[in-house]
Amino acid sequence: MMGGRRDGLMRSSSNSNSILSLRTSRIAIAIAIGILMGCIFAFFYPYGFLHPYYPPSTAAATISNSISQESSSECESSERINILKADIVRMTEKNAELRKQVRELNEKLRLAEQGTDTAQKQFLALGEQPKAGPFGTVKSLRTNPTVVPDESINPRLAKILGEVAVRKELVVVLANVNVKEMLEVQVSTVKKAGILNYLVVALDDEIESYCKANGVAAYKRDPDDGVDEIGRSGGNHAVSGLKFRILREFLQLGYSILLSDVDIIYLKNPFDHLYRDSDVESMTDGHNNATAYGYNDVFDEPAMGWARYAHTMRIWVYNSGFFYIRPTIPSIELLDRVADRLSKEKAWDQAVFNEVLFYPSHPGYEGLHASRRTMDFYTFMNSKVLFKTVRKDPNLKKLKPVIIHINYHPDKLPRMRAVVDYYFNGKQDALDSFPDGSQ
Ligand SMILES: *[C@@H]1O[C@H](CO)[C@@H](O)[C@H](O)[C@H]1NC(C)=O
């Protein structure tokens, strides 16, 4: 019903636009002819139609190039003919020039209309044309509409998601046998935290059977899936893009996904702590208010004297190992762009994820316009915050975060177990033996 109406609106808008462009191009041609006629008359009748010095018949005869010898002197008339011939050449050239300009104007008009057409279509898709309210009351859109679910793209996955998801949301974690021990620790905390909507994308048989044996919902990809083929036959770059390719199907099916790495401990149910107002809501690699939420970083160049200080904006990257993504067009475009870039260049997926999310449009590049929210860095905590700050602060130490991501430390498994001991098993000194960073 909604889709049909939208289609109708788009059709009628493009119809009226083509009528408009037909009309405007006719007007443009009429104007061009008018200007041309004006030039011709201004040249041949500089003093107006009724001036005796240039009888209209003479001018007409000159144009048709059948010159009658009615002037008083031969010499004088042939001189005048030459001048007129030169003028005709000049006028013809001017005519061609004018026609070219009209063509160019028409092209510009067409392009401009194309631009407004797209904007108009997008606007029509969103609803009524808004009226700005009084000062301080306007609020732009950050919660984009979700896509219409398309089960036909993967009926098997659609069925699994229908069973696992709660309110069309779920945690999704990709795992292969190399990370099985970490997955086991994670699964134990997921159960303790009472999270029911948790799904493992099993990348091999061992993980699939582990999940089956432990009552964990699992989804094993079709071995003859085109995406997997890319993953197998492609090099490392192609494989690193696989996560984003897989995730796309979940969004297309209409689900909001909390994507999770395996090196994450769940202390509470994260779905009780989301805002759900943005396309992407992500944990940060930042460690305080400034680095997590953005700050003005002043770059100093003393040689510039008066203008030595250049202000820059900085923010620590979003962690592409833990983010909540809503099923919207900007979200899917984000995943596609990241996957596409990772398949073509050797790059770190987290860096690409952030560049696509944050870089603005500029010459030769059209930026993504996805809305973003940075998660609270004490609630969705990275391991630098835990080991450098929280465990040493008597007050912060008492608070229970929602998750802890051991992203900053290579000795993931022992630190994960220590976190479980500290927060679930009441072992007050469980975190003490670890250095702040890796050694
Ligand atoms: C960080 O920001 C929070 C609110 O966003 C504020 O309550 C807190 O005082 C800030 N901390 C510091 C150290 O500025």
Side-chain angles (χ1 to χ4, degrees):
M1 187 63 203
M2 273 299 283
R5 198 165 65 208
R6 262 175 221 167
D7 271 9
L9 283 170
M10 281 186 209
R11 249 200 312 280
S12 71
S13 106
S14 69
N15 270 351
S16 68
N17 271 321
S18 62
I19 291 165
L20 188 72
S21 92
L22 205 72
R23 201 182 294 151
T24 40
S25 64
R26 274 192 201 147
I27 290 168
I29 290 166
I31 291 169
I33 291 170
I35 292 169
L36 187 63
M37 294 297 276
C39 291
I40 291 168
F41 283 118
F43 175 74
F44 288 113
Y45 303 94
Y47 307 101
F49 285 104
L50 300 175
H51 199 279
Y53 192 71
Y54 274 116
S57 60
T58 315
T62 314
I63 287 169
S64 67
N65 225 358
S66 62
I67 312 295
S68 59
Q69 309 288 315
E70 55 185 2
S71 308
S72 54
S73 123
E74 282 272 0
C75 180
E76 193 191 320
S77 105
S78 78
E79 197 182 332
R80 224 174 99 198
I81 288 165
N82 284 339
I83 291 168
L84 286 172
K85 273 184 182 165
D87 282 336
I88 286 169
V89 170
R90 198 163 48 79
M91 294 293 295
T92 317
E93 278 167 7
K94 210 167 184 175
N95 186 14
E97 176 76 15
L98 267 171
R99 255 191 271 173
K100 195 175 144 224
Q101 278 174 10
V102 168
R103 255 202 318 275
E104 283 171 354
L105 273 173
N106 265 335
E107 178 64 12
K108 272 185 194 157
L109 200 67
R110 195 182 61 76
L111 287 174
E113 270 171 9
Q114 222 170 43
T116 54
D117 190 37
T118 321
Q120 196 67 11
K121 272 181 190 165
Q122 279 170 0
F123 153 70
L124 285 170
L126 291 175
E128 300 238 320
Q129 188 170 15
K131 194 173 180 179
F135 174 80
T137 66
V138 295
K139 198 171 179 202
S140 65
L141 201 71
R142 49 193 63 58
T143 312
N144 286 308
T146 55
V147 296
V148 177
D150 180 5
E151 299 213 340
S152 68
I153 60 135
N154 192 336
R156 188 168 67 88
L157 179 60
K159 187 166 170 290
I160 295 172
L161 295 185
E163 288 159 6
V164 177
V166 174
R167 274 180 265 114
K168 300 224 94 181
E169 317 180 299
L170 70 159
V171 178
V172 172
V173 54
L174 274 70
N176 63 19
V177 72
N178 300 326
V179 296
K180 188 173 170 220
E181 283 180 297
M182 283 194 278
L183 182 66
E184 283 169 359
V185 178
Q186 180 176 89
V187 163
S188 74
T189 67
V190 164
K191 287 179 177 171
K192 284 195 190 107
I195 302 161
L196 301 172
N197 45 343
Y198 174 87
L199 178 76
V200 174
V201 175
L203 298 174
D204 51 41
D205 294 337
E206 270 155 290
I207 292 298
E208 189 185 32
S209 48
Y210 159 77
C211 289
K212 268 189 188 151
N214 289 276
V216 178
Y219 164 61
K220 178 114 189 305
R221 322 232 333 114
D222 261 335
D224 45 47
D225 186 297
V227 176
D228 276 1
E229 187 47 45
I230 292 166
R232 266 198 306 275
S233 59
N236 266 343
H237 323 319
V239 178
S240 68
L242 193 63
K243 171 166 109 182
F244 300 92
R245 293 287 296 269
I246 292 174
L247 218 48
R248 181 197 217 276
E249 287 191 348
F250 288 72
L251 299 199
Q252 258 186 300
L253 292 171
Y255 290 86
S256 296
I257 301 302
L258 187 55
L259 179 97
S260 173
D261 279 353
V262 283
D263 54 346
I264 289 174
I265 296 294
Y266 288 82
L267 304 175
K268 293 177 183 170
N269 190 334
F271 293 105
D272 297 336
H273 301 269
L274 297 173
Y275 286 78
R276 299 179 177 82
D277 63 350
S278 306
D279 295 311
V280 177
E281 188 170 343
S282 178
M283 84 170 286
T284 172
D285 273 4
H287 54 269
N288 55 24
N289 280 0
T291 57
Y293 309 139
Y295 68 103
N296 177 0
D297 188 34
V298 181
F299 173 80
D300 185 9
E301 196 175 353
M304 287 302 292
W306 178 76
R308 63 184 288 177
Y309 301 115
H311 294 260
T312 72
M313 293 175 295
R314 297 190 70 189
I315 185 166
W316 262 229
V317 289
Y318 279 6
N319 191 294
S320 63
F322 190 83
F323 58 89
Y324 176 78
I325 186 162
R326 296 180 61 248
T328 65
I329 292 295
S331 296
I332 294 170
E333 189 182 354
L334 167 71
L335 298 178
D336 286 359
R337 284 199 191 194
V338 173
D340 180 58
R341 270 191 60 189
L342 290 174
S343 71
K344 289 175 180 163
E345 61 193 81
K346 192 184 179 120
W348 183 31
D349 65 340
Q350 179 159 290
V352 173
F353 179 75
N354 277 273
E355 285 173 15
V356 174
L357 256 184
F358 286 94
Y359 284 175
S361 298
H362 54 258
Y365 179 75
E366 207 181 330
L368 181 81
H369 298 282
S371 53
R372 313 164 294 239
R373 168 179 283 280
T374 311
M375 289 173 170
D376 185 304
F377 68 92
Y378 285 131
T379 308
F380 297 91
M381 194 184 290
N382 63 57
S383 58
K384 178 154 86 180
V385 172
L386 176 66
F387 285 97
K388 265 193 73 179
T389 316
V390 169
R391 69 169 171 166
K392 299 170 188 171
D393 184 304
N395 289 321
L396 292 173
K397 230 183 140 169
K398 281 185 227 147
L399 302 172
K400 195 173 185 175
V402 173
I403 64 142
I404 290 174
H405 189 178
I406 312 296
N407 61 321
Y408 269 108
H409 298 90
D411 48 343
K412 292 174 187 296
L413 200 54
R415 286 191 196 242
M416 283 175 82
R417 291 196 168 123
V419 168
V420 172
D421 278 342
Y422 179 78
Y423 283 103
F424 279 124
N425 304 333
K427 255 185 91 179
Q428 286 303 307
D429 61 349
L431 302 173
D432 297 350
S433 64
F434 295 94
D436 285 3
S438 59
Q439 286 172 332

